[in-house]
Amino acid sequence: QLQLQESGPRLVKPSETLSLTCSVSGGSMNSNSYSWGWIRQPPGKGLEWIGSIFYSGSTYNNPSLKSRVTMSVDTSKNQFSLKLNSVTAPDTAVYYCARHLGYSHGGEWIDPWGQGTLVTVSS
Amino acid sequence: QSALTQPPSASGSPGQSVTISCTGTSSDVGVYDYVSWYQQHPGKAPKLIIYEVIKRPSGVPDRFSGSKSGNTASLTVSGLQAEDEADYYCSSYAGSNNLVFGGGTKLTVL
């Protein structure tokens, strides 16, 4: 059974870079049937798609965040990562990593999800 | 891309049916049959319950069903049970490898 687990600092200072890693277990990332992505949820609010990365390294981003987001993948370690730069308080959220499935390289639906990690932006 | 529009709340009594709508545009819901629905219990990660408008992943009860007409997709929960009380989010493919979510609907079982 595929499982995903987020890890990284829980507290980030304003203007700095948020960095998270997702570790994938129970399956291989080397597949052209999936991509791997990030979704966030501010406390008490709805979900926002951040972006996804194909195993080859091709990335697909939410246009509203595109300029601040960098994603990478390391299939040898079964991990992929997210960096969000120049963070401010509104970037405070639970960040989920997840597998994206579907027909395009970016994926059309999401399953399964990691448990999520709360990242707080504060000085 | 703009978020899809969902009603903030919905409710029903045990055994009843409730339908949650998800309205997009001709650039997402209206043109792609890639609407998915997610169930999220408090403090938990979302769980996929419907994909490609009408398909259910293995293990999801057939009480959950999806449909679409024009720019609006719908999730129907039949035979409501207490465990169905949760937040529900729709999502649609929006072209160019982008996804967009709805604002979420809190389902209360009375």
Side-chain angles (χ1 to χ4, degrees):
Chain A
Q1 181 182 357
L2 192 76
Q3 293 185 317
L4 299 93
Q5 177 70 58
E6 305 87 354
S7 61
R10 306 294 178 92
L11 181 64
V12 182
K13 290 182 169 57
S15 81
E16 296 190 345
T17 296
L18 178 158
S19 297
L20 293 173
T21 296
C22 183
S23 298
V24 179
S25 60
S28 171
M29 295 185 67
N30 270 325
S31 170
N32 60 8
S33 297
Y34 319 128
S35 61
W36 307 91
W38 298 91
I39 305 95
R40 70 180 182 177
Q41 184 173 34
K45 297 188 178 181
L47 301 169
E48 180 181 29
W49 182 73
I50 298 172
S52 63
I53 183 167
F54 199 54
Y55 78 99
S56 63
S58 298
T59 58
Y60 312 99
N61 298 316
N62 185 328
S64 68
L65 296 170
K66 186 174 183 178
S67 62
R68 297 199 291 134
V69 170
T70 303
M71 290 180 290
S72 60
V73 61
D74 187 339
T75 56
S76 67
K77 293 182 178 179
N78 253 25
Q79 292 179 335
F80 60 104
S81 298
L82 169 72
K83 291 187 186 298
L84 179 67
N85 61 34
S86 304
V87 297
T88 60
D91 292 313
T92 294
V94 175
Y95 285 77
Y96 295 99
C97 63
R99 182 178 63 176
H100 287 45
L101 302 98
Y103 305 102
S104 69
H105 282 185
E108 286 86 21
W109 60 91
I110 301 170
D111 180 60
W113 299 55
Q115 66 182 30
T117 186
L118 174 63
V119 179
T120 301
V121 178
S122 175
S123 55
Chain B
Q1 57 196 37
S2 300
L4 308 176
T5 300
Q6 296 181 236
S9 63
S11 63
S13 300
Q16 289 186 332
S17 293
V18 63
T19 297
I20 298 170
S21 63
C22 169
T23 301
T25 70
S26 57
S27 297
D28 39 61
V29 174
V31 69
Y32 297 106
D33 286 334
Y34 297 133
V35 175
S36 51
W37 289 89
Y38 303 87
Q39 177 191 61
Q40 185 180 35
H41 287 109
K44 300 294 187 182
K47 172 190 171 186
L48 177 71
I49 57 173
I50 295 287
Y51 66 102
E52 289 190 85
V53 180
I54 61 171
K55 297 180 180 179
R56 276 179 290 106
S58 174
V60 174
D62 60 6
R63 302 184 294 103
F64 293 91
S65 62
S67 63
K68 191 186 86 166
S69 178
N71 295 340
T72 299
S74 298
L75 172 72
T76 297
V77 186
S78 305
L80 269 175
Q81 299 182 4
E83 68 215 48
D84 298 333
E85 184 160 297
D87 293 328
Y88 291 84
Y89 292 91
C90 63
S91 174
S92 175
Y93 183 68
S96 302
N97 289 291
N98 286 323
L99 295 177
V100 62
F101 282 100
T105 298
K106 181 177 182 61
L107 174 61
T108 301
V109 180
L110 301 171

